[in-house]
Amino acid sequence: MPAMCLRFWPEWSWLRATVHAGTYGKVRSARFRRVAEPPGWGRASFFNGTESGGALFDLHVHDTDFVQFCFGRPKAVFSTGHSQFSGAIDHVVTQYFVDGDAVVHAEGSWAMAPGFGFNMSYTVNFERATADYDIARGTDALRLSVEGTPPAVIKPDGADGYVGELRHFL
C-alpha cells in the first residue's frame, strides 16, 4: 500500500467527505500547502536529489494524491519549481485542472530557511463556505466560515494520519 497519509488525517478526511457530500455547494477553489525547511533526518540520502527526488517526491506527491482523491484524476496539470540544495525539485507549485472547473493548486517545499520548521495547511472555498486548516493553530487547526453564521472550529474525530493509515492497512 502506498503511504498516502494525508487521506487519513481527520481534518483531511473531513474535507474529502464534505467535498463529496456537497454540503456547502461546489468547490470554487482549493489551496493545499505543505512546506518545510530542509529535513534534518537522512541527510545522506534526502540531500541527494537523485536518490530522494527532493520535496517533489517527499512532500508534494501526497498533495497530488489528495487532490486526485477529492477531485478525481485531473484533466491536466502545470507545475513549476526550483532546486534549492538537493539537485532535484525542492520547491514546487502545481495547478490542477479538474472536472467542475474549481481552481485547485498545491505547494510543496523543502526550501524554507532553517528555523522555519514545518507547516501543513489548506483553504477550500465552497459556494457557501470556506474551510481553512492550518496545523500551526494546534487544536483549533480547522476553521469553517459559513454564510450567515459566526466562524466555527471543527474538531473531527480520529487519530493522527499515521495511525489511521496503519489501521486501514491492517
Side-chain angles (χ1 to χ4, degrees):
M1 179 181 125
M4 295 301 176
C5 58
L6 284 184
R7 293 180 177 205
F8 301 98
W9 288 98
E11 297 85 357
W12 299 70
S13 294
W14 174 89
L15 177 61
R16 182 177 190 269
T18 302
V19 167
H20 281 244
T23 308
Y24 303 106
K26 291 174 47 175
V27 173
R28 305 294 295 154
S29 62
R31 177 202 45 94
F32 301 92
R33 186 172 194 248
R34 290 175 342 104
V35 295
E37 63 189 83
W41 62 93
R43 288 181 181 260
S45 61
F46 274 108
F47 282 27
N48 180 344
T50 58
E51 291 182 18
S52 71
L56 186 66
F57 288 147
D58 179 50
L59 289 176
H60 200 61
V61 67
H62 298 283
D63 298 294
T64 296
D65 173 72
F66 192 76
V67 166
Q68 183 168 319
F69 192 50
C70 282
F71 301 101
R73 186 180 180 101
K75 297 181 280 188
V77 299
F78 173 80
S79 294
T80 187
H82 66 83
S83 179
Q84 185 81 7
F85 64 90
S86 76
I89 300 299
D90 296 317
H91 187 100
V92 62
V93 177
T94 300
Q95 173 79 41
Y96 304 88
F97 299 88
V98 299
D99 287 336
D101 297 325
V103 176
V104 180
H105 68 277
E107 177 183 22
S109 184
W110 280 352
M112 309 316 257
F116 179 88
F118 171 76
N119 185 265
M120 176 166 80
S121 64
Y122 64 71
T123 302
V124 177
N125 288 304
F126 297 90
E127 291 174 309
R128 297 182 305 278
T130 298
D132 186 64
Y133 170 83
D134 188 334
I135 197 170
R137 290 195 290 254
T139 59
D140 294 343
L142 178 54
R143 294 182 182 164
L144 182 66
S145 300
V146 180
E147 285 183 29
T149 64
V153 172
I154 306 295
K155 297 188 181 200
D157 291 330
D160 74 35
Y162 302 118
V163 171
E165 178 182 42
L166 289 170
R167 285 183 180 150
H168 177 79
F169 178 75
L170 293 174

